[in-house]
């Protein structure tokens, strides 16, 4: 059965810290991996990763995919209280539209 | 550029009542997906619809749940005779094509008393 596992389940850090969130996947015919940020509203799209080893960056957030080891990481540098959220990763298999989500990492950034 | 809209944002029902959840996709999007998020669990795919067609409902319970996406108007997820186990957040997502990135709405949080 296809599955996505995220770790840690939750994380508490102080402002200014750097965090690394992990996402491992076991899916047949893997196509892409996506990261979303979920606050008390819609999960908002962060990154889509399809190629291995190519880092994607957006401000203080960056992410990379390792298709050999079947995982991705999401890095957040110089964290701020506004980064507090649940971070979801999802895998997509080729030719389908079903996103397979992990349970998320709950990040809390303290002032 | 309105994003995906869902209403209501919160819905309280008593056991046995019906729940109707609405989703208006982003402008230009004709593909709609419904997901359910149970407490402490990830989002789980329920159903995929295009205008007037259900493409894949493999993730939706066989009984009491139905979905539609009429030619005009929002997509509707309908839960009949709700039970406490239906309490969850229901998210709708839309995309402009079936393999394109899905953008999510804010969700409807259903509480069954």
């Amino acid at each position: 059965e296809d599955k996505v596992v995220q770790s840690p389940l939750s994380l508490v850090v102080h402002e200014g810290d750097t965090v690394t969130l992990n996402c491992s996947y076991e899916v047949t015919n893997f196509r892409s991996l996506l990261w979303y940020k979920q606050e008390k509203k819609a999960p908002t799209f962060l990154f889509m990763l399809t190629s291995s080893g190519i880092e994607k960056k957006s401000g203080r957030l960056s992410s990379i995919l390792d298709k050999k080891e079947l995982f991705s990481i999401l890095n957040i540098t110089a964290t701020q209280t506004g980064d507090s959220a649940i971070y979801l990763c999802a895998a997509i298999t080729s030719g389908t539209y079903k996103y397979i989500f992990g349970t998320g990492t709950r990040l809390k950034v303290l002032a | 550029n309105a994003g995906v809209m869902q209403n209501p944002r919160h819905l309280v029902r008593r056991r046995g009542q019906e729940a109707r959840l609405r989703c208006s996709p982003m402008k230009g999007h004709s593909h709609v997906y419904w997901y359910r998020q149970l407490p402490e669990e990830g989002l789980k795919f329920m159903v995929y619809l295009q205008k007037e067609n259900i493409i894949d409902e493999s993730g939706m319970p066989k009984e009491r749940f139905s979905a539609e996406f009429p030619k005009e108007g929002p997509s509707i997820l309908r839960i009949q005779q709700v039970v406490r186990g239906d309490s969850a957040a229901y998210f709708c997502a839309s995309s402009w094509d079936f393999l394109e990135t899905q953008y999510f709405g804010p969700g409807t949080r259903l509480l069954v008393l």
Side-chain angles (χ1 to χ4, degrees):
Chain A
E1 185 183 337
D2 294 337
K3 65 178 180 181
V4 174
V5 178
Q6 291 186 245
S7 65
L9 290 180
S10 64
L11 192 55
V12 180
V13 300
H14 291 276
E15 271 191 317
D17 288 350
T18 293
V19 296
T20 298
L21 310 183
N22 303 291
C23 174
S24 64
Y25 61 90
E26 288 180 35
V27 302
T28 51
N29 300 317
F30 172 82
R31 175 166 68 96
S32 300
L33 188 135
L34 299 95
W35 284 95
Y36 286 85
K37 178 183 181 183
Q38 184 180 13
E39 299 169 275
K40 289 187 178 179
K41 48 181 179 163
T44 50
F45 173 74
L46 294 176
F47 298 111
M48 175 183 273
L49 304 154
T50 303
S51 299
S52 203
I54 298 174
E55 186 183 50
K56 293 211 172 180
K57 285 180 73 78
S58 176
R60 296 176 294 103
L61 276 65
S62 63
S63 184
I64 197 162
L65 176 67
D66 186 328
K67 291 168 79 172
K68 184 179 176 186
E69 300 296 330
L70 308 182
F71 77 92
S72 173
I73 59 172
L74 175 69
N75 277 322
I76 310 174
T77 58
T79 51
Q80 302 170 357
T81 54
D83 295 327
S84 297
I86 299 172
Y87 290 83
L88 302 169
C89 79
I92 322 173
T93 56
S94 291
T96 79
Y97 37 77
K98 293 180 194 177
Y99 286 14
I100 304 159
F101 279 90
T103 53
T105 292
R106 203 174 287 265
L107 173 66
K108 187 169 179 64
V109 182
L110 302 175
Chain B
N1 278 330
V4 178
M5 310 284 284
Q6 287 188 250
N7 69 81
R9 295 290 305 279
H10 300 273
L11 184 61
V12 180
R13 285 286 177 266
R14 296 193 179 279
R15 281 179 295 171
Q17 292 184 319
E18 178 179 288
R20 277 182 178 246
L21 289 61
R22 294 175 193 77
C23 169
S24 297
M26 285 179 72
K27 188 176 180 181
H29 288 190
S30 59
H31 300 254
V32 166
Y33 316 81
W34 285 92
Y35 290 80
R36 178 165 63 175
Q37 186 176 41
L38 292 166
E40 308 306 321
E41 291 188 22
L43 288 151
K44 296 276 195 272
F45 169 81
M46 297 180 74
V47 60
Y48 162 42
L49 309 101
Q50 293 181 35
K51 280 288 184 181
E52 299 184 274
N53 290 305
I54 297 174
I55 308 301
D56 181 350
E57 56 184 349
S58 60
M60 201 154 67
K62 297 277 187 288
E63 297 178 356
R64 303 188 296 106
F65 285 72
S66 62
E68 62 178 18
F69 190 15
K71 189 176 179 182
E72 301 291 335
S75 174
I76 307 281
L77 178 68
R78 183 179 175 209
I79 311 172
Q80 294 178 289
Q81 298 173 339
V82 295
V83 300
R84 288 220 174 103
D86 298 331
S87 296
Y90 292 83
F91 288 90
C92 163
S94 73
S95 66
W96 74 269
D97 198 357
F98 87 107
L99 289 181
E100 295 300 321
T101 302
Q102 296 173 22
Y103 293 87
F104 283 81
T108 293
R109 278 147 184 87
L110 172 65
L111 176 63
V112 180
L113 301 176

